[in-house]
Amino acid sequence: MSYSVFSYENLVHAVSGAVGSVTAMTVFFPLDTARLRLQVDDNRKAKSTPAILADIIREEGLLAPYRGWFPVICSLCCSNFVYFYCFHSLKASWLKGRPSAPSNDLMIGIAAGVVNVLVTTPLWVVNTRLKLQGSKFRNADIRPTNYSGILDAFAQIIRDEGGGALWNGTFPSLLLVMNPAIQFMIYEGLKRQLRRGVPRELSSVEVFLIGAVAKAAATIVTYPLQTIQSILRFGQFNKSTGESKLLSSLRTIKCLLINRIYISRPLVFHIVSLVSFDRKFGMLGLFKGLEAKLLQTVLTAALMFLLYEKIASTTFKMMGLSRNHYKKH
């Protein structure tokens, strides 16, 4: 098989990953709606995922859990195509047929994640806005938006907030490349352990379980930054300063993290604080919505990896490349 960046094998991986992720996200989309609502709406009480979904349906209608499905699916399809293509092309170019190791998988995953973030962040900013548009928030400070679709959202954001707003949350997103990197490192490592040097196709149960374990570990480690990322993409937290973008991003992340942690302090602390709004969740505030996120992301990732492996395996068999594929992976 070719170790070139441009190869049919890399294209098969990219298409399989994109199709698998789109299908899995569609199945578990309401769980992502519950997670995002808890992350962004400060005044919404943290409840069990079914209770949150019941509240949303009661307040906003039966289809509310699927609000913003199309832009999310478009963003996810592009994002996973880019990530899977970069991951496997970099892996093929770097290893050139040699056995991989967890450290290699981690470094390749980080590199693929950086490319993915820089290319697809505008899509995720727009899909976050559209997914939350029309929602009934408990936080009165959240400003309503009125986008008619993906293109109109792009146009309004650029006109009202400037082109840079399309990359809101890029810095925490760059930090969050550790999430898929850790996920792929654990997934590929478990895959190698299960095969133990014998080229074979894993069973559906094996793929589902190792996909779930890999995603659960990656999500728990990086969840606080995912919450900050969602808030910044929504565009409701703006702290304008004369600092450089990097320093401003660091200060914004720090402020949002402190805001999530703080429970109660004397008034004088509020006056001298770097953050000017109430902070009330405690340490658990960093993990608000984690139950919904874990439920959604673990099930989605497990199903995505299962579909990805089956689609890729079937395609490679049709191309007569399955034996080489398993030897290299």
Side-chain angles (χ1 to χ4, degrees):
M1 268 195 181
S2 171
Y3 302 124
S4 169
V5 170
F6 302 103
S7 70
Y8 283 117
E9 185 185 9
N10 296 332
L11 185 61
V12 169
H13 283 300
V15 172
S16 301
V19 172
S21 62
V22 164
T23 305
M25 175 58 85
T26 299
V27 172
F28 297 113
F29 192 82
L31 301 178
D32 191 56
T33 297
R35 180 271 310 175
L36 185 59
R37 197 68 63 86
L38 282 170
Q39 286 182 326
V40 171
D41 192 353
D42 289 349
N43 293 337
R44 182 175 289 275
K45 185 179 178 182
K47 303 177 182 177
S48 67
T49 301
I52 292 295
L53 288 173
D55 286 346
I56 292 172
I57 292 172
R58 184 178 64 253
E59 295 168 4
E60 304 169 32
L62 190 60
L63 296 180
Y66 276 91
R67 181 183 290 115
W69 171 84
F70 183 71
V72 169
I73 290 303
C74 290
S75 301
L76 191 67
C77 183
C78 294
S79 181
N80 276 278
F81 183 92
V82 170
Y83 191 88
F84 273 83
Y85 194 97
C86 288
F87 182 86
H88 288 283
S89 61
L90 289 171
K91 190 172 183 178
S93 301
W94 190 345
L95 299 176
K96 298 187 183 301
R98 299 188 304 272
S100 186
S103 58
N104 291 331
D105 292 331
L106 183 64
M107 296 306 297
I108 293 168
I110 291 172
V114 169
V115 174
N116 183 39
V117 165
L118 296 177
V119 171
T120 65
T121 289
L123 288 170
W124 287 110
V125 168
V126 167
N127 101 54
T128 299
R129 305 283 185 96
L130 290 172
K131 189 172 172 60
L132 291 168
Q133 182 169 273
S135 302
K136 294 185 183 299
F137 294 107
R138 308 293 171 84
N139 187 349
D141 294 332
I142 293 180
R143 303 183 300 275
T145 56
N146 185 26
Y147 306 126
S148 60
I150 295 176
L151 295 179
D152 182 54
F154 271 110
Q156 284 197 46
I157 292 170
I158 293 171
R159 185 190 67 220
D160 299 338
E161 304 172 45
L166 290 173
W167 275 269
N168 280 351
T170 296
F171 188 73
S173 295
L174 287 172
L175 297 179
L176 276 170
V177 300
M178 290 302 296
N179 182 292
I182 293 171
Q183 175 186 345
F184 269 74
M185 177 185 72
I186 296 174
Y187 180 77
E188 294 289 329
L190 290 174
K191 231 173 30 170
R192 284 191 292 270
Q193 287 298 314
L194 288 173
R195 286 175 177 160
R196 297 186 184 178
V198 180
R200 69 178 179 92
E201 182 177 353
L202 298 181
S203 70
S204 299
V205 173
E206 288 174 325
V207 173
F208 190 90
L209 288 177
I210 64 175
V213 169
K215 191 60 179 180
T219 298
I220 292 171
V221 169
T222 60
Y223 188 76
L225 279 174
Q226 292 183 52
T227 299
I228 302 308
Q229 179 192 58
S230 295
I231 294 171
L232 292 175
R233 282 175 174 173
F234 191 34
Q236 298 286 335
F237 179 83
N238 296 306
K239 193 175 180 66
S240 58
T241 67
E243 298 173 311
S244 68
K245 285 192 175 294
L246 178 59
L247 288 175
S248 179
S249 295
L250 287 169
R251 187 176 292 276
T252 298
I253 293 170
K254 175 186 173 183
C255 289
L256 288 169
L257 287 172
I258 292 174
N259 179 62
R260 287 267 155 175
I261 295 172
Y262 184 76
I263 301 177
S264 62
R265 292 288 175 86
L267 179 61
V268 65
F269 188 87
H270 286 274
I271 296 174
V272 300
S273 173
L274 290 173
V275 187
S276 60
F277 44 87
D278 291 336
R279 293 162 292 173
K280 52 199 172 188
F281 295 114
M283 285 299 294
L284 292 179
L286 294 177
F287 295 90
K288 188 168 181 260
L290 177 61
E291 179 207 354
K293 179 64 175 177
L294 272 178
L295 190 59
Q296 176 262 328
T297 199
V298 169
L299 292 174
T300 301
L303 181 57
M304 182 270 289
F305 274 118
L306 174 59
L307 294 172
Y308 154 69
E309 292 286 356
K310 294 304 178 185
I311 293 170
S313 172
T314 301
T315 305
F316 285 131
K317 284 178 181 176
M318 293 173 62
M319 296 170 67
L321 302 173
S322 57
R323 179 172 296 181
N324 287 335
H325 168 67
Y326 293 129
K327 283 182 179 178
K328 288 172 60 182
H329 292 79

